[in-house]
C-alpha cells in the first residue's frame, strides 16, 4: 500500500523490508537502514520525542543528529513552566530539525 503511493509521487524505486522486532530494534540502534517508517502514539510529551531523538546525546538519537542550538532550545523548553513559551520553543526546535531533514516530525 505504501510502496505504490511513494513510487507514484517520488522518482524512486523502493524495496520494503519488514523485519521481526528483534531484528528491527538492533538495526535501528545500529543505524543499519536507508529510510525507516515508524511512529509512536505515546510520545505526546516533547521530552519523549524531541529530547530523546534530537538532542546530541538523546537516548534514541541513533542517526547522530547534532545541533548545539537545538540542544540549548530543547533544554530551555524542558525547564520552561509557561505552556505557551514551551510550545513556541518546541516548534522552533522541530523547525530546525526538519530543516536539517534529520527526520520528519511534527508535534502539535
Amino acid at each position: 500500500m505504501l510502496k505504490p503511493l511513494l513510487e507514484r509521487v517520488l522518482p524512486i524505486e523502493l524495496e520494503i523490508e519488514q523485519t521481526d522486532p528483534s531484528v528491527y530494534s538492533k538495526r535501528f540502534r545500529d543505524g543499519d537502514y536507508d529510510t525507516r517508517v515508524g511512529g509512536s502514539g505515546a510520545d505526546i510529551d516533547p521530552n519523549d520525542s524531541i529530547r530523546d531523538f534530537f538532542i546530541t546525546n538523546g537516548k534514541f538519537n541513533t542517526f547522530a543528529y547534532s545541533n548545539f542550538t537545538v540542544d540549548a532550545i530543547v533544554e530551555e523548553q524542558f525547564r520552561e513552566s509557561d505552556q505557551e513559551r514551551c510550545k513556541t520553543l518546541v516548534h522552533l526546535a522541530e523547525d530546525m530539525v526538519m530543516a536539517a531533514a534529520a527526520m520528519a516530525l511534527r508535534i502539535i
Side-chain angles (χ1 to χ4, degrees):
M1 180 176 200
L2 181 61
K3 181 179 177 181
L5 174 65
L6 290 174
E7 288 180 339
R8 188 174 19 173
V9 298
L10 299 172
I12 59 174
E13 190 174 313
L14 294 174
E15 178 184 327
I16 295 179
E17 179 183 0
Q18 293 180 292
T19 62
D20 179 86
S22 63
V23 172
Y24 164 82
S25 296
K26 180 176 182 344
R27 288 182 63 188
F28 179 68
R29 276 192 316 273
D30 294 345
D32 182 19
Y33 56 90
D34 293 318
T35 302
R36 141 185 196 279
V37 175
S40 174
D43 293 343
I44 58 172
D45 184 336
N47 297 306
D48 286 341
S49 53
I50 289 181
R51 195 161 194 253
D52 289 347
F53 285 91
F54 298 109
I55 63 170
T56 298
N57 295 313
K59 65 184 175 182
F60 300 128
N61 186 353
T62 59
F63 36 87
Y65 175 78
S66 181
N67 180 319
F68 295 119
T69 302
V70 170
D71 291 355
I73 292 167
V74 170
E75 289 308 314
E76 180 181 347
Q77 175 274 143
F78 183 67
R79 293 186 302 274
E80 180 60 59
S81 60
D82 178 85
Q83 291 281 326
E84 286 306 308
R85 176 74 179 141
C86 182
K87 184 177 177 179
T88 298
L89 292 168
V90 166
H91 286 180
L92 177 61
E94 75 179 10
D95 287 347
M96 293 176 74
V97 168
M98 289 177 68
M103 178 186 278
L105 168 74
R106 189 69 181 173
I107 298 172
I108 53 175

